[in-house]
Amino acid sequence: WKHIRTLRTLGYRIDAVTSKGYRLLSGPELLIADEIRSRLSSRVIGREVICHEQLASTNLTAMELGETGAAEGLVVIADQQNAGKGRLGRRWESPAGVNLYLSILLRPTIPPWEVPRLTFLSAVAAARALRDVTGLKIDVKWPNDLLVNGRKIAGLLNEMSAESDAVHHVVLGLGLNINMTADQLPTDLRYPATSVWLEKGILTSRLDVAVVLLEHFDRLYEELRQSGMEPIRRAWQELFALMGKPVRVETGQASLAGVVAGIDEEGALLLQLPDGHIEKVLAGDVLPVESSR
């Protein structure tokens, strides 16, 4: 049993049959940089792809490569992370062989205060990729998560190197739960989680998701450079299931209740309070009223 448990943590899917033993269903899918690049037709994103068996964090490695002059469009992928990061310093569980952990290096010509908007580009690209490959209906959760049936299936984390008025480089990190099983999910989650496997009961190619994700990302990044943020903001709002719904927002300093009115051009959440006033929320956790009782 201990050996079987070890194999499962490495990404092998093994079925236990009472009184008979174990049956190997599949082994881990390898993510190979040359294979990913050979399938890409993107112009910028994925011009260079680096895959590692294990990293502390793909964001950390991409940030370090950005400091040494790596070109825009570099993609760093890890089969496993031992120090994956989520929002607000939270840990992102990153077991081997089952999920997709990647970071994209950008050098956008925008001021530092506009960088948080890039989270919405990542969310739209990831939502479209998961939809195209799996057929699942994907919702976005402000500011940086993707949901399926109200459960988190992906998280996003931006980091940047900048001065007061200039961006040196930005790293957009994404963690997508693809073939993660229920026993691999952490037990101390603030928000319920899921994976493609748990939603559909079939294995999904991480390679396919990675390629489609990078293609969508490349098209959206070009759209951003040509047309600005507005088309991406509209696309994100179309995926936002809480539009017009009552919610509670925990900001860390206060709890606000109101109805979601959308996001503004800066990416802030617009919350209509009971008195009709529109409150601009820059950071916080959004919960549907039903989930907050």
Side-chain angles (χ1 to χ4, degrees):
W1 177 83
K2 290 181 180 179
H3 291 305
I4 293 297
R5 185 175 62 178
T6 299
L7 288 171
R8 283 173 170 161
T9 65
L10 294 174
Y12 290 89
R13 194 169 302 282
I14 301 171
D15 188 24
V17 182
T18 304
S19 302
K20 291 186 177 181
Y22 298 95
R23 179 176 59 181
L24 177 65
L25 301 179
S26 67
E29 177 190 32
L30 299 179
L31 295 169
I32 301 172
D34 286 341
E35 187 171 0
I36 293 172
R37 282 198 303 268
S38 70
R39 292 177 55 180
L40 288 174
S41 59
S42 52
R43 299 174 59 185
V44 175
I45 308 303
R47 287 187 292 195
E48 181 179 5
V49 179
I50 301 173
C51 292
H52 292 267
E53 183 176 344
Q54 180 174 304
L55 289 174
S57 159
T58 58
N59 264 29
L60 177 61
T61 297
M63 286 293 291
E64 292 173 346
L65 292 170
E67 295 289 351
T68 60
E72 181 173 61
L74 168 71
V75 178
V76 178
I77 299 175
D79 189 62
Q80 178 181 14
Q81 298 180 119
N82 53 36
K85 296 185 293 182
R87 183 166 157 263
L88 303 177
R90 298 166 187 156
R91 179 178 175 83
W92 184 267
E93 293 298 327
S94 310
V98 291
N99 295 336
L100 182 60
Y101 320 112
L102 65 83
S103 296
I104 299 170
L105 176 69
L106 299 179
R107 298 187 182 276
T109 55
I110 58 176
W113 55 88
E114 291 186 4
V115 168
R117 304 183 194 180
L118 295 175
T119 298
F120 301 99
L121 187 156
S122 297
V124 174
R128 289 177 175 177
L130 285 173
R131 176 203 63 195
D132 290 353
V133 176
T134 71
L136 290 169
K137 182 183 183 300
I138 309 295
D139 299 319
V140 294
K141 176 179 179 287
W142 184 88
N144 60 348
D145 293 326
L146 303 184
L147 308 178
V148 173
N149 296 322
R151 296 178 178 272
K152 184 188 297 188
I153 199 167
L156 319 170
L157 179 65
N158 290 0
E159 296 184 273
M160 70 172 167
S161 173
E163 298 178 14
S164 59
D165 60 349
V167 173
H168 299 308
H169 61 271
V170 178
V171 168
L172 306 184
L174 302 94
L176 285 69
N177 296 342
I178 307 298
N179 295 316
M180 199 176 201
T181 58
D183 59 351
Q184 291 174 310
L185 292 173
T187 58
D188 58 346
L189 292 173
R190 292 169 56 91
Y191 209 85
T194 190
S195 68
V196 177
W197 165 260
L198 292 173
E199 295 298 321
K200 295 184 68 77
I202 58 175
L203 289 174
T204 298
S205 167
R206 296 182 298 160
L207 179 63
D208 288 348
V209 176
V211 170
V212 176
L213 170 62
L214 297 179
E215 293 281 0
H216 275 299
F217 206 107
D218 188 71
R219 288 193 288 271
L220 287 167
Y221 190 49
E222 179 62 23
E223 184 175 29
L224 174 69
R225 296 196 291 186
Q226 295 294 328
S227 306
M229 191 65 193
E230 183 56 22
I232 294 168
R233 186 185 73 87
R234 290 198 303 267
W236 187 92
Q237 285 197 158
E238 290 175 0
L239 297 166
F240 192 24
L242 293 179
M243 280 289 294
K245 302 290 180 62
V247 299
R248 189 184 76 197
V249 181
E250 300 288 349
T251 65
Q253 299 175 342
S255 178
L256 300 173
V259 175
V260 174
I263 58 172
D264 66 10
E265 64 279 0
E266 297 175 353
L269 181 72
L270 301 177
L271 188 68
Q272 184 175 17
L273 303 182
D275 63 3
H277 171 71
I278 299 294
E279 182 78 14
K280 180 186 292 190
V281 182
L282 299 177
D285 283 327
V286 180
L287 295 172
V289 168
E290 295 79 7
S291 300
S292 62
R293 291 174 181 169

